[in-house]
Amino acid sequence: MLIRTKRDWELPESAATPESVYINRRALMAGAGAIAGGLALGGTARAADVPVGAPVGAPARNPAYTLDRPVTPESAATSYNNFYEFGTSKDVVTAAQKMPLRPWTLRIDGMVEKPLTLGVDDLLKAMPVEERLYRHRCVEAWAMAVPWMGFPLAKLVAFAKPLSSATYVELQTFGRDTYAAPGLRQPFYPWPYVEGLTMAEATNDLAFISTGLYGKPLQGQNGAPLRLTLPWKYGFKSVKSIVRISFTDKKPKTFWALLNADEYGFWANVNPAVPHPRWSQAHERLLGSNESVPTQIFNGYGAQVAGLYKGLEKEALFM
């Protein structure tokens, strides 16, 4: 008889917002249906252009990824956003909606068998898209729980065919050569935004490239059309609007670590026992309710990722 041991962060499916609550608002995921039709006509499509009530094109939910809390209201998760390319406030929705999401290309280079550049829609056709329920924890001590659509980063790593000597993955957000967002005018930031992972982190089952949210294509403020989602790390590691992925044997010089490594280090694993230099990380505020709840080590995903840091605990659990 097969006995399945429940993971410490799982609850029954009933703990999540019923799919029927938002299924009628589901739209075709990025790269399908209405968006693809717009591209065929040479137009520029945005996530916001997909109408409410469009034919259902969202993928099935993967039941292996559930939550220990209710899903955050969509209105909260899509209106309270950090995206410094569009400004330093949380209200970047209007500015982000102006960013054209097509055409959008992804460059894969560095230590790979063959560098390539491909359109986001071609990439999506090659990836096994699904929906996952994940918690998200910001280093600023707020949190949310949302249904992401996308595909495992490990699948993209395999698609890229990195050399065996590659030990890190570097991911880069758009710069002024792609779109002149207002925040990019600030000269004191080390643009473009760069983040990095070890190959072991990048190929962990939890590492995810998100293309949608709440059954619809990602909106600009949430990182459309491609964003990284790492539920066990602080949110600043989840690089948005990705245009380049490079494989290297050197630790990437990441955006926030370049600005202030004492506050925003390379590892960024959620740890309630290690405070940020300017505030405690022991509790988190839930978007939508403002309830304060205890923070969990690795954001509740320790069973899946703690093994990545054996022998590195002192360093990897700092920030």
Side-chain angles (χ1 to χ4, degrees):
M1 179 176 68
L2 177 64
I3 299 176
R4 181 179 183 274
T5 302
K6 187 175 180 182
R7 295 169 182 163
D8 56 0
W9 48 271
E10 288 186 325
L11 274 189
E13 192 71 15
S14 58
T17 299
E19 190 168 353
S20 59
V21 171
Y22 66 85
I23 189 67
N24 289 331
R25 300 183 66 192
R26 286 192 164 198
L28 290 176
M29 58 173 291
I35 290 182
L39 295 176
L41 296 174
T44 298
R46 297 181 297 153
D49 294 332
V50 182
V52 171
V56 175
R61 178 177 295 169
N62 187 329
Y65 303 94
T66 58
L67 293 171
D68 63 347
R69 60 186 58 170
V71 169
T72 299
E74 180 181 353
S75 59
T78 57
S79 65
Y80 190 88
N81 308 99
N82 283 320
F83 204 151
Y84 277 48
E85 284 80 353
F86 295 108
T88 56
S89 78
K90 296 293 189 292
D91 184 10
V92 297
V93 174
T94 300
Q97 292 305 310
K98 298 177 182 179
M99 178 176 64
L101 300 183
R102 296 299 190 280
W104 193 279
T105 57
L106 176 68
R107 174 71 176 169
I108 299 175
D109 59 16
M111 301 174 72
V112 295
E113 290 184 9
K114 184 178 180 180
L116 72 153
T117 299
L118 71 165
V120 63
D121 299 300
D122 293 326
L123 174 66
L124 292 176
K125 291 174 185 176
M127 293 292 114
V129 179
E130 62 186 52
E131 182 180 74
R132 295 183 179 185
L133 297 172
Y134 273 166
R135 295 168 56 156
H136 176 90
R137 174 60 155 80
C138 182
V139 73
E140 298 168 339
W142 56 265
M144 62 181 182
V146 297
W148 298 101
M149 298 190 314
F151 53 87
L153 176 56
K155 296 293 185 181
L156 181 52
V157 171
F159 178 84
K161 298 181 179 179
L163 303 181
S164 60
S165 50
T167 52
Y168 293 94
V169 183
E170 182 176 294
L171 304 98
Q172 180 180 310
T173 300
F174 67 87
R176 289 183 65 87
D177 56 336
T178 301
Y179 177 66
L184 295 176
R185 300 171 191 154
Q186 301 298 333
F188 45 84
Y189 288 118
W191 307 118
Y193 197 107
V194 170
E195 259 308 334
L197 304 170
T198 65
M199 286 289 285
E201 291 175 321
T203 55
N204 182 272
D205 289 342
L206 290 176
F208 201 61
I209 295 291
S210 293
T211 61
L213 191 63
Y214 295 94
K216 295 177 286 190
L218 277 181
Q219 297 183 42
Q221 70 272 20
N222 291 108
L226 300 169
R227 77 166 278 164
L228 181 63
T229 302
L230 303 167
W232 74 97
K233 290 181 176 287
Y234 290 119
F236 68 84
K237 294 294 288 188
S238 295
V239 55
K240 301 180 179 75
S241 302
I242 301 167
V243 297
R244 183 180 180 185
I245 297 179
S246 299
F247 294 84
T248 177
D249 58 359
K250 297 177 176 61
K251 180 186 283 190
K253 296 180 179 179
T254 60
F255 180 88
W256 283 106
L258 286 171
L259 277 172
N260 192 341
D262 290 336
E263 295 192 6
Y264 307 104
F266 177 83
W267 297 104
N269 292 316
V270 176
N271 187 352
V274 177
H276 183 279
R278 290 180 282 131
W279 56 79
S280 170
Q281 296 288 13
H283 288 78
E284 58 198 43
R285 175 177 59 87
L286 304 184
L287 291 188
S289 69
N290 283 328
E291 179 186 0
S292 177
V293 300
T295 300
Q296 296 182 43
I297 186 72
F298 292 113
N299 203 24
Y301 295 95
Q304 291 71 46
V305 300
L308 296 174
Y309 307 105
K310 291 296 183 183
L312 294 172
E313 289 86 355
K314 186 175 182 179
E315 177 184 2
L317 293 180
F318 166 59
M319 177 63 70

